């Protein structure tokens, strides 16, 4: 019998949730995703030190404004790391917009276009890149515009059905609904130490989104993210894509028990809902304390790591 990772790859596209080149090469995923936290970790790896200096040198040529130079260097580093990853994965790399722009549609548009232009200048076509944006109303509206411009987006920090519905209605290419962070919140809120995979609230959330999309023929790709254990992964076998850490891919690769497909378009049933207005979106998010708290926390944490990365780069000027 083949290991669980290879079995999973026959029913779900596996994506690496890391900026570590060696880990990506080892597990050979189709795509890879990065975020400010992963880039901060990657920036500490010996293999990337030349890229940090390269990003700084490039930024110095773009402007004499020190604050702008640091931002340009961070953008350049994210693209340089993306270019290294694209040498290994056959599919796409997701590169994230600065989380501090999560509530500014126009600034998100400008940053997304800038990142894509940098990839294009390096000879990479749009069809190998996903621009990663937080699933705020402002972020979703930015993604709607970008998709029409031929810039595909990955909407992240997604914890709530309203976020998923709005993304589908905006024609977003891909969403990253979180699993493990939802579980974290419920364990803390209820005091319950553990959940079985089939009752895991994060698994249930992604399953509901997947079924709604398939039943209503939305083309938006569902990519489960933020996993805490292998049980969550196998319970979502059949999801369009799953983005996994190297540690969890290693665990799957070293396990040979059979995986059964749990999600399939043929079994999806869900009635179509009225189109979401901004007011309805904000109200539904407001009424979901888990999603409200985890979205805010995720943006704060990504912003903090972005600032740490910029501080590291600033020291090289």
């Amino acid at each position: 019998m083949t290991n669980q990772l290879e079995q999973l790859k026959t029913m779900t596209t596996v994506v690496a949730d890391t900026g570590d080149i060696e880990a990506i090469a080892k597990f050979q995923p189709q795509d890879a995703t990065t975020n400010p936290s992963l880039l901060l970790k990657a920036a500490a790896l010996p293999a990337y030190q030349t890229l940090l200096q390269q990003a700084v040198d490039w930024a110095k040529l773009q402007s004499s404004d020190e604050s702008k130079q640091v931002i340009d260097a961070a953008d350049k580093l994210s693209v340089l790391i993306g270019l290294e990853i694209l040498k290994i994965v056959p599919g796409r790399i997701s590169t994230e917009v600065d989380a501090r722009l999560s509530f500014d549609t126009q600034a998100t548009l400008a940053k997304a276009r800038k990142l894509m232009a940098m990839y294009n200048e390096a000879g990479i076509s749009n069809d190998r890149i996903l621009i990663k944006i937080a699933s705020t109303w402002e972020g979703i509206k930015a993604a709607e515009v970008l998709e029409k411009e031929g810039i595909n987006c990955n909407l992240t920090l997604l914890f709530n059905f309203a976020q998923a519905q709005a993304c589908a209605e905006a024609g977003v290419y891909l969403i990253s609904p979180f699993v493990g962070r939802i579980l974290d919140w419920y364990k803390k809120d209820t005091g319950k130490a553990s959940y079985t995979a089939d009752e895991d609230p994060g698994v249930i959330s992604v399953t509901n989104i997947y079924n709604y999309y398939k039943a209503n023929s939305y083309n938006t790709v569902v990519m489960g993210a933020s996993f805490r254990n292998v049980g969550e992964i196998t319970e979502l076998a059949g999801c369009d894509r799953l983005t996994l850490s190297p540690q969890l891919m290693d665990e799957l690769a070293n396990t040979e028990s059979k995986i059964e497909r749990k999600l399939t378009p043929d079994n999806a049933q869900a009635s179509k809902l009225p189109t979401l207005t901004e007011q309805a979106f904000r109200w539904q998010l407001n009424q979901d304390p888990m999603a409200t708290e985890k979205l805010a926390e995720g943006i704060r944490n990504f912003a903090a790591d972005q600032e740490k990365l910029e501080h590291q780069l600033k020291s090289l000027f």
Side-chain angles (χ1 to χ4, degrees), residues 12-13 16 38 49 52 62 64 74 80 97 101 105 110 118 130 137 170 172 207 232 250-251 269 277 299:
T12 290
T13 299
L38 293 174
Q49 297 314 300
L52 268 71
Q62 308 309 307
S64 58
L80 289 172
V97 166
L101 307 178
T105 297
M118 291 165 76
L130 291 177
W137 180 260
V172 166
T207 299
E232 290 177 326
D250 191 55
E251 191 172 339
Q269 294 182 344
T277 62
I299 291 171

Side-chain angles (χ1 to χ4, degrees), residues 52-72:
L52 268 71
Q53 191 60 55
Q54 191 177 333
V56 167
D57 293 342
W58 179 86
K60 287 179 179 177
L61 299 175
Q62 308 309 307
S63 166
S64 58
D65 183 325
E66 290 184 6
S67 59
K68 188 176 184 302
Q69 286 179 341
V70 173
I71 292 171
D72 283 342

Side-chain angles (χ1 to χ4, degrees), residues 26-27 75 77 113 167 171 188 191 202 208 232 287:
K26 178 180 177 181
F27 296 108
D75 290 341
L77 179 64
R113 291 166 181 152
C167 285
K188 183 177 179 181
N208 289 340
E232 290 177 326
Q287 295 303 96

Side-chain angles (χ1 to χ4, degrees), residues 99-263:
R100 293 169 295 189
L101 307 178
S102 296
F103 302 103
D104 188 332
T105 297
Q106 294 306 314
T108 296
L109 286 169
K111 182 71 77 174
R113 291 166 181 152
K114 176 186 178 183
L115 292 170
M116 186 59 82
M118 291 165 76
Y119 275 114
N120 293 160
E121 288 166 9
I124 303 299
S125 56
N126 287 23
D127 62 0
R128 296 206 68 198
I129 308 299
L130 291 177
I131 298 298
K132 206 169 176 184
I133 301 169
S135 299
T136 57
W137 180 260
E138 294 82 0
I140 294 168
K141 292 295 105 178
E144 186 171 21
V145 173
L146 293 167
E147 292 288 351
K148 292 173 182 174
E149 296 178 0
I151 297 176
N152 293 148
C153 300
N154 170 355
L155 272 288
T156 188
L157 294 176
L158 196 151
F159 303 96
N160 172 277
F161 187 86
Q163 292 174 291
Q165 184 184 345
C167 285
E169 291 170 357
V172 166
Y173 180 84
L174 179 147
I175 62 168
S176 293
F178 281 36
V179 180
R181 294 195 198 187
I182 293 178
L183 175 65
D184 294 344
W185 190 91
Y186 277 97
K187 286 170 71 174
K188 183 177 179 181
D189 184 65
T190 64
K192 189 173 179 178
S194 63
Y195 287 77
T196 60
D198 62 341
E199 66 175 8
D200 184 308
V203 169
I204 292 169
S205 175
V206 175
T207 299
N208 289 340
I209 291 167
Y210 175 92
N211 286 335
Y212 182 74
Y213 277 20
K214 303 311 176 190
N216 293 289
S217 301
Y218 284 114
N219 293 323
T220 300
V221 174
V222 181
M223 182 172 75
S226 164
F227 291 96
R228 295 294 179 260
N229 56 68
V230 165
E232 290 177 326
I233 297 166
T234 57
E235 196 65 25
L236 291 172
C239 193
D240 299 330
R241 303 184 191 185
L242 297 174
T243 181
L244 310 177
S245 68
Q247 293 81 4
L248 288 171
M249 284 193 283
D250 191 55
E251 191 172 339
L252 288 164
N254 286 291
T255 306
E256 294 196 349
S257 55
K258 184 176 175 57
I259 291 180
E260 293 183 12
R261 181 167 187 158
K262 297 297 179 76
L263 301 185

